Amino acid sequence: MTDAETTRATTVGELSEGQILRGILDRLPPSTAPVGPGDDAAVLAVPDGRVVATTDTLVHGPDFRLAWSQPFDLGFKAAAVNLSDVAAMGARPIALLVALAMPDATPVSFVRGFADGLAAACAELAPGCAVEGGDLTVSDTLTIAVTALGSLDGREPVRRSGARAGDGVYVIGELGEAARGLEVLFRRFTDAEGAPVPVDPALLDSAEARALSRQLRPRPPIAEALEAAASGATAMMDVSDGLVLDATRLADASDVTIAFDSATLGDDPGLALDGGEDHGFLVTFPADVAPLGRRVGTVEPRGAEAVTVDGRAWTGRGGWDPYRDWDAGRG
């Protein structure tokens, strides 16, 4: 795959699987695994014999729109959302396995930009983590599936089920910025029929540009999550679907109530509570442990509600559920 082929807008349908794969591997850092890409499967070294594994799929339509996301953005986000799930267990990310299902008409330049985004996310968010394998196939719908693997390095996993009454509830990272960015996209960059149109950066003020960056290229605080695990967090999870929805999952797993204080949630508590995709971390710490992040509430004995805000049940959306919220008519 040459630069000349790329400038002629060569598509993946014109190349073999091997040529496409070589174009990806050439842009990724060298593997550090005992056996990396090139065999039927990778062989990884895991210090204590336990592997943390997670997978996430991004589908064109409900999860991203090519009119809004550059290939680099998609590669970065596909890595970031999986790295954050590994870190939420208190594990150090060590490898990604990436599967791409692409229409024949997908430009080769997309594949190159996507690979660059994967590499950049690993380098910035989880140094030492690398793409160690994956799969390529064809599909009418562009689909990205990533499996992330992590090592606990001798620690116990931090699970959703460990919160106890009396713990403090903390957030590491931002809340609401990615949701604000999504609002910008649907409000400013759709046509009269609601279909997405390309983003014009010149139309954005600094706050909108920052929010859009957080939506298209999330930066989960992986190092801080690992520090929280090491310092004694009792429960932790990635906030991807909205603070209320994810806190409900943690509360149900721990059989407690999570009581939020809206005064701690910034200038738009509703957006913080209902928005998602910031990929920060919801963490609980006991009183005798020095916490990380900012305190947003308290763990209480289980009551009638899994989550309360200022002592009452939250009546907003609560977060993103694709089976409830995906509307194909919105672009």
Side-chain angles (χ1 to χ4, degrees), residues 55-245:
T55 190
D56 205 299
T57 303
L58 301 178
V59 179
H60 185 255
D63 297 308
F64 65 89
R65 313 292 172 84
L66 287 172
W68 293 337
S69 296
Q70 297 298 313
F72 184 96
D73 295 332
L74 286 174
F76 198 102
K77 187 169 187 174
V81 301
N82 283 277
L83 295 170
S84 64
D85 279 336
V86 169
M89 298 295 292
R92 172 176 55 88
I94 58 174
L96 299 179
L97 307 175
V98 182
L100 272 177
M102 299 176 286
D104 280 344
T106 304
V108 171
S109 58
F110 170 89
V111 179
R112 290 187 164 190
F114 179 80
D116 287 342
L118 288 172
C122 288
E124 177 181 332
L125 302 175
C129 182
V131 177
E132 301 292 1
D135 188 37
L136 295 171
T137 189
V138 295
S139 171
D140 289 338
T141 302
L142 179 60
T143 303
I144 304 160
V146 178
T147 296
L149 304 173
S151 171
L152 289 164
D153 295 340
R155 294 190 300 268
E156 290 304 307
V158 183
R159 304 179 60 186
R160 301 177 181 183
S161 57
R164 297 293 178 262
D167 288 354
V169 180
Y170 295 79
V171 167
I172 300 172
E174 298 179 321
L175 290 174
E177 280 298 290
R180 187 173 284 112
L182 192 63
E183 287 183 351
V184 170
L185 289 172
F186 276 110
R187 186 177 70 249
R188 302 283 299 281
F189 298 105
T190 56
D191 63 18
E193 284 72 43
V197 299
V199 174
D200 183 352
L203 300 179
L204 301 172
D205 61 31
S206 59
E208 290 173 328
R210 186 180 189 281
L212 202 56
S213 173
R214 295 299 185 266
Q215 165 58 221
L216 298 178
R217 202 181 297 179
R219 286 176 164 79
I222 304 293
E224 289 86 344
L226 298 183
E227 185 179 351
S231 67
T234 52
M236 181 161 56
M237 65 181 299
D238 164 56
V239 182
S240 56
D241 294 328
L243 185 60
V244 169
L245 181 55

Side-chain angles (χ1 to χ4, degrees), residues 220-285:
I222 304 293
E224 289 86 344
L226 298 183
E227 185 179 351
S231 67
T234 52
M236 181 161 56
M237 65 181 299
D238 164 56
V239 182
S240 56
D241 294 328
L243 185 60
V244 169
L245 181 55
D246 287 326
T248 298
R249 293 164 175 160
L250 189 150
D252 286 343
S254 296
D255 194 27
V256 295
T257 290
I258 302 295
F260 289 117
D261 176 0
S262 65
T264 66
L265 297 174
D267 58 359
D268 191 339
L271 200 61
L273 291 160
D274 287 338
E277 296 192 287
D278 287 303
H279 295 284
F281 298 92
L282 179 65
V283 193
T284 60
F285 288 99

